């Protein structure tokens, strides 16, 4: 009779599980099309390294504990499969395998069950004593941990009873189960082994099937979606955004879930809610409204709310009943203020163990606010007007763009006569402090005999800030003008001193058919030093130098070594590192268009980063970005008595010539 009951419960459980997964995952199809199946072998390799191998997870101290639970889960999936099959066909089990192989499996199951039990206890203790984020102590979290622990304990008792009954060999292959068998024989349960075994067998069955059916309705659905989500990750850096088609009747950006892509929606189901993104986020960690974890969770909640109004025939959401993604920050939406706090630094994406892409979603929602509702911080009105009318953030006359070089004998770029275009950028041409960097860079290039020219008054803003701020229409116009200008002048190689210009010309403009060899000045100077075309005459007098990694140079484009090598050769000493550096570096606070916005809540991001730099007691803070230069100089001015100077790497190299 029990056999029949189990078959009925198992059939119902598997059917319910399949139906629940279908209902949840079918919602993903509401999103816009996006192709994520190119380079399948590369994707498979990445999935094995990052999903199965848990590379990002174990890179953090507590991640190893999660890795143990995950790897034990994979191994014990075999044991649980045997458990379910033998529940239907009692004669079918791993005992039919050759004794050595069976013994090896028993040992593996025993050790993995113990490891999982210990790891679960550690996870529960950590969540209680030192939770990863505020609000992490939830009933759901403790329930899942309790269910996993119950499965492990029930497994040991069932095996212990079988050993005590002589149904399972009590060998060294099952050390933990052997110990449990001896404990059982020392208790009153020794007189009722069969009943004890049956009770714990059913406990294991009920908890296993309950756990399975609870997954689709909990945050632990990531157990099912995280591995495919890693497989479907962006195979390049998320350092650009998709273009929009500006045609009459089109809607722009994303205010409802059907305006996001299906991969965006799969991301929401794959979030493990580990809190790493919010710990890395400069806005979240300095008291701003933005919390990338909560934003992804809000998208999932929004999708689940709107799932009830999906038109089964067309797959479209009934717009009049659809809850907006942008609202008051309550269930299913994110505050607009939070979206404007993002610095587009990419730290959240770098930290995420399952490769959730937060930044593109934020930009899509910004686009909706700017282009569909004309709703954005008032400070941006002047910026957008200045960019549209005079192609620079300050609204300076285009004729002023070449004044920084009035005392220099710079040549205009001419295809076939000059190898590189030196793209000075708006900061390098208009900002008083960064003009000095432009002059220093030309000194370095001249000393190395580099063939370069400039556009002078004809140069236009690349449009980085307006694109990250969501004004895609304006960026589209600016990009088309610059692309046409570059093509007409035959520009193929570009030097930039600004990482924002660097990534825009290199990555964004590819969408407009312009393929350029773009070098950030740190990369070119590093090459010139290695080739012997540039030789320092002396060590630059900079004192102790600490380096700040620009987000758009480092995380967005993987340029980490070039600035360090340049500084080592120019100063003759090792570069000091901040606590958070390279891919884990903390933003200066100016990216994502935040350069043009004041911080009205929390601690200023640049102040937090300046304090981290000054903790190294440097004489010089070295940067490789005009925005970082501004943010660091402003931050250091607020520190009473500080004599620390801020220099660009080009200025340091110029001092060594």
């Amino acid at each position: 009779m029990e056999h029949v009951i189990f078959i009925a419960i198992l059939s119902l459980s598997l059917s319910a599980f399949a139906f629940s997964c279908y209902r949840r995952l079918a919602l993903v199809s509401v999103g816009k099309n996006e192709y994520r199946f190119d380079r399948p072998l590369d994707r498979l390799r990445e999935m094995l390294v990052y999903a199965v191998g848990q590379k990002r997870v174990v890179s953090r101290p507590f991640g190893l504990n999660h890795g143990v639970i995950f790897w034990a889960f994979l191994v014990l999936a075999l044991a649980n499969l045997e458990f379910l099959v033998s529940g239907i066909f009692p004669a079918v089990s791993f005992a039919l395998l050759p004794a050595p192989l069976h013994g090896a499996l028993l040992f593996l199951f025993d050790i993995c069950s113990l490891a999982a039990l210990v790891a679960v206890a550690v996870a529960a203790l950590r969540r209680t004593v030192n939770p990863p984020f505020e609000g992490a102590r939830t009933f759901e979290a403790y329930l899942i941990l309790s269910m996993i622990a119950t499965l492990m304990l029930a497994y040991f008792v069932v095996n212990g009873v079988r050993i005590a009954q002589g149904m399972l060999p009590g060998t060294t292959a099952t050390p933990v189960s052997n110990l449990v068998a001896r404990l059982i024989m020392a208790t009153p349960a020794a007189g009722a082994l069969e009943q004890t075994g049956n009770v714990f067998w059913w406990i294991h069955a009920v908890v296993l099937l309950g756990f399975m059916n609870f997954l689709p309705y909990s945050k632990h659905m990531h157990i099912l979606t995280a591995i495919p989500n890693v497989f479907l990750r962006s195979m390049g850096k998320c350092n650009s955004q998709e273009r929009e088609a500006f045609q009459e009747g089109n809607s722009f950006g994303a205010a409802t879930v059907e305006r996001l892509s299906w991969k965006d929606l799969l991301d929401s189901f794959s979030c493990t809610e580990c809190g790493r993104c919010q710990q890395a986020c400069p806005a979240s960690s300095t008291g701003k409204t933005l919390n990338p974890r909560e934003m992804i969770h809000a998208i999932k909640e929004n999708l689940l709310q709107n799932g009830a109004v999906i038109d089964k025939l067309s797959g479209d959401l009934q717009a009049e009943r659809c809850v907006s993604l942008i609202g008051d920050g309550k269930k299913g939406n994110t505050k607009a203020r939070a979206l404007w706090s993002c610095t587009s630094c990419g730290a959240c994406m770098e930290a995420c163990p399952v490769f959730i892409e937060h930044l593109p979603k934020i930009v899509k929602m910004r686009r909706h606010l700017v282009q569909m509702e004309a709703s954005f911080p008032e400070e941006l009105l002047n910026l957008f007007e200045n960019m549209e009318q005079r192609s620079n953030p300050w609204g300076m006359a285009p004729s002023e763009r070449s004044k920084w070089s009035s005392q220099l004998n710079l040549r205009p770029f001419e295809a076939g006569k000059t190898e590189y275009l030196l793209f000075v950028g708006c900061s390098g041409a208009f900002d008083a402090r960064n003009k000095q960097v432009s002059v220093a860079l030309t000194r370095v290039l001249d000393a190395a005999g580099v063939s370069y020219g400039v556009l002078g008054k004809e140069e236009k803003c690349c449009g980085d800030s307006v694109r990250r701020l969501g004004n895609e229409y304006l960026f589209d116009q600016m990009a088309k003008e610059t692309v046409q200008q570059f093509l007409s002048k035959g520009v193929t190689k570009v030097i930039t001193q600004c990482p924002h210009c660097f990534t825009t010309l290199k990555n964004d403009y590819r969408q407009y058919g312009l393929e350029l060899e773009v070098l950030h000045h740190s990369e070119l100077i590093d090459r010139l030093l290695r080739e012997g075309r540039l030789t320092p005459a002396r060590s630059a007098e900079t004192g102790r130098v600490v380096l700040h990694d620009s987000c758009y140079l480092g995380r967005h484009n993987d340029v980490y070594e070039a600035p360090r090598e340049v500084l080592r050769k120019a100063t003759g000493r090792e570069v000091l590192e901040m606590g958070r550096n390279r891919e884990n570096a903390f933003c200066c606070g100016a990216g994502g268009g935040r350069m043009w916005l004041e911080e009205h809540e929390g601690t200023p991001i640049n102040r937090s980063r300046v304090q981290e730099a000054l903790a190294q007691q440097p004489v010089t803070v070295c940067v490789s970005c005009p925005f970082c230069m501004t943010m660091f100089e402003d931050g250091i001015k607020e520190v009473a008595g500080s004599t620390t100077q801020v220099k660009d790497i080009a200025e340091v190299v110029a001092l060594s010539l």
Side-chain angles (χ1 to χ4, degrees):
M1 186 63 183
E2 286 187 356
H3 181 67
V4 174
I5 293 173
F6 176 74
I7 292 176
I9 293 175
L10 178 62
S11 300
L12 289 173
S13 295
L14 291 176
S15 299
F17 174 70
F19 179 68
S20 297
C21 290
Y22 170 77
R23 285 188 62 195
R24 282 288 196 266
L25 295 177
L27 297 176
V28 171
S29 64
V30 171
K32 295 168 63 178
N33 289 333
E34 184 176 9
Y35 188 67
R36 292 280 184 141
F37 301 97
D38 58 321
R39 300 165 58 185
L41 293 180
D42 290 337
R43 292 184 178 278
L44 180 62
R45 184 182 66 252
E46 295 286 284
M47 183 186 75
L48 293 174
V49 171
Y50 289 99
V52 180
Q54 299 274 282
K55 183 177 178 180
R56 279 192 174 181
V57 174
V58 300
S59 66
R60 304 288 177 88
F62 191 76
L64 183 59
N65 194 71
H66 182 278
V68 169
I69 296 175
F70 174 78
W71 293 317
F73 176 85
L74 292 183
V75 173
L76 295 175
L78 279 176
N80 287 314
L81 178 62
E82 181 202 32
F83 176 86
L84 296 176
V85 171
S86 63
I88 303 173
F89 307 105
V92 178
S93 75
F94 288 136
L96 298 175
L97 296 171
L101 181 55
H102 184 219
L105 284 175
L106 288 176
F107 177 77
L108 194 58
F109 296 156
D110 227 44
I111 296 303
C112 285
S113 296
L114 177 63
L117 187 60
V118 172
V120 163
V122 172
L125 180 64
R126 185 236 187 176
R127 191 168 289 268
T128 302
V129 177
N130 184 30
F133 55 88
E134 186 179 351
R137 299 188 190 96
T138 63
F139 173 76
E140 179 185 316
Y142 286 112
L143 176 62
I144 289 289
L145 292 174
S146 299
M147 293 173 83
I148 296 173
T150 302
L151 288 173
M152 302 305 109
L153 292 171
Y155 172 83
F156 286 131
V157 174
V158 170
N159 273 10
V161 167
R162 287 177 177 174
I163 292 172
Q165 291 176 316
M167 297 171 62
L168 195 66
T171 66
T172 54
T174 54
V176 183
S177 296
N178 287 345
L179 175 61
V180 173
R182 289 196 293 272
L183 291 173
I184 291 172
M185 294 306 293
T187 68
L193 289 177
E194 185 174 351
Q195 294 89 333
T196 301
N198 282 342
V199 168
F200 278 90
W201 188 93
W202 275 104
I203 289 175
H204 191 283
V206 170
V207 173
L208 177 61
L209 297 177
F211 179 80
M212 181 176 68
N213 278 280
F214 181 60
L215 287 183
Y217 299 96
S218 73
K219 74 181 183 72
H220 285 78
M221 190 175 180
H222 73 260
I223 292 174
L224 306 175
T225 57
I227 292 178
N229 201 63
V230 175
F231 179 84
L232 296 165
R233 60 167 289 199
S234 172
M235 293 305 290
K237 292 281 187 178
C238 290
N239 51 20
S240 185
Q241 285 79 40
E242 64 178 348
R243 288 185 66 180
E244 289 184 331
F246 293 101
Q247 299 173 353
E248 187 175 350
N250 281 4
S251 181
F252 308 112
T256 50
V257 287
E258 87 277 12
R259 296 293 303 165
L260 295 172
S261 74
W262 65 262
K263 177 58 171 61
D264 289 328
L265 302 181
L266 182 63
D267 276 353
S268 73
F269 282 131
S270 302
C271 179
T272 67
E273 296 194 37
C274 62
R276 291 189 182 188
C277 58
Q278 73 181 70
Q279 292 167 0
C281 175
S284 181
S285 60
T286 55
K288 313 295 190 292
T289 306
L290 176 63
N291 184 321
R293 176 185 61 82
E294 292 180 354
M295 181 198 70
I296 297 298
H297 183 66
I299 291 173
K300 180 176 74 173
E301 287 190 323
N302 191 288
L303 179 60
L304 294 175
Q305 289 179 58
N306 291 319
V309 296
I310 295 177
D311 185 330
K312 298 298 190 299
L313 295 177
S314 68
D316 295 330
L317 289 177
Q318 298 176 14
E320 68 277 7
R321 297 177 60 191
C322 186
V323 179
S324 177
L325 290 167
I326 309 165
D328 56 7
K330 295 180 180 178
K331 188 174 182 179
N333 61 57
T334 300
K335 289 183 179 180
R337 183 173 64 182
L339 300 176
W340 295 116
S341 297
C342 178
T343 67
S344 71
C345 68
C348 51
M349 297 185 293
E350 190 69 37
C352 182
V354 294
F355 289 87
I356 288 171
E357 296 161 14
H358 311 72
L359 179 55
K361 300 169 183 53
I362 291 175
V363 172
K364 288 173 185 177
M365 286 187 272
R366 282 183 171 184
R367 285 181 178 181
H368 172 82
L369 290 172
V370 172
Q371 298 177 141
M372 300 300 294
E373 297 185 10
S375 175
F376 46 82
E378 189 176 346
E379 301 149 276
L380 295 181
L381 183 60
N382 283 338
L383 174 71
F384 292 155
E385 289 179 348
N386 290 338
M387 289 291 201
E388 184 175 13
Q389 296 170 8
R390 298 198 166 187
S391 195
N392 70 80
W394 298 279
M396 303 287 284
S399 59
E400 300 287 309
R401 190 176 278 274
S402 61
K403 280 195 172 181
W404 69 272
S405 61
S406 59
Q407 303 301 311
L408 304 175
N409 186 26
L410 298 185
R411 293 182 299 173
F413 176 85
E414 294 182 67
K417 294 184 179 181
T418 45
E419 183 179 5
Y420 292 98
L421 166 66
L422 173 58
F423 193 85
V424 181
C426 298
S427 292
F430 294 115
D431 179 73
R433 177 63 183 87
N434 281 291
K435 288 180 185 179
Q436 300 172 37
V437 178
S438 301
V439 172
L441 179 57
T442 61
R443 282 191 58 204
V444 173
L445 298 178
D446 290 340
V450 176
S451 172
Y452 71 95
V454 295
L455 295 176
K457 299 174 184 178
E458 295 182 76
E459 185 179 291
K460 300 178 182 294
C461 179
C462 68
D464 158 73
S465 288
V466 294
R467 182 167 230 199
R468 273 73 194 176
L469 286 166
N471 196 337
E472 182 68 8
Y473 179 79
L474 178 53
F475 172 78
D476 187 71
Q477 300 304 308
M478 296 173 72
K480 286 176 180 176
E481 289 180 12
T482 299
V483 167
Q484 182 57 43
Q485 181 188 52
F486 279 23
L487 290 174
S488 66
K489 289 184 174 293
V491 176
T492 58
K493 296 181 179 182
V494 180
I495 305 166
T496 72
Q497 66 192 61
C498 175
H500 297 264
C501 299
F502 171 69
T503 199
T504 302
L505 298 177
K506 181 179 180 179
N507 302 310
D508 294 284
Y509 280 22
R510 285 178 181 168
Q511 298 174 348
Y512 293 83
L514 184 64
E515 292 285 343
L516 297 169
E517 179 188 337
V518 187
L519 292 173
H520 183 260
H521 70 324
S522 64
E523 295 179 295
L524 180 60
I525 295 171
D526 180 42
R527 179 192 296 179
L528 296 172
L529 289 167
R530 284 187 285 105
E531 293 176 351
R533 295 173 61 186
L534 186 67
T535 304
R538 55 187 174 276
S539 295
E541 296 296 330
T542 55
R544 289 165 56 88
V545 176
V546 66
L547 176 67
H548 164 74
D549 286 287
S550 161
C551 302
Y552 271 67
L553 188 61
R555 263 192 301 271
H556 284 301
N557 289 285
D558 281 332
V559 179
Y560 295 112
E561 288 305 320
R564 287 167 170 80
E565 284 300 313
V566 168
L567 289 176
R568 286 189 193 106
K569 291 173 181 175
T571 64
R573 65 173 70 197
E574 284 298 314
V575 179
L576 299 174
E577 298 284 3
M578 296 192 213
R580 291 172 288 188
N581 58 73
R582 297 178 184 267
E583 65 272 9
N584 296 317
F586 197 71
C587 183
C588 74
R594 290 294 318 177
M595 177 72 179
W596 321 109
L597 292 166
E598 295 295 331
E599 294 188 52
H600 299 293
E601 56 179 345
T603 303
I605 294 172
N606 69 324
R607 186 182 301 169
S608 179
R609 187 56 166 168
V610 163
Q611 292 297 336
E612 188 174 359
L614 296 182
Q616 301 296 323
Q617 299 181 336
V619 174
T620 304
V621 175
C622 203
V623 299
S624 51
C625 170
F627 290 1
C628 296
M629 172 72 77
T630 299
M631 301 305 280
F632 267 89
E633 289 213 323
D634 288 350
I636 287 176
K637 288 174 184 175
E638 296 178 2
V639 180
S642 177
T643 58
T644 302
Q645 57 185 346
V646 185
K647 288 190 177 297
D648 186 272
I649 62 169
E651 294 179 301
V652 175
V653 174
L655 288 174
S656 72
L657 299 178

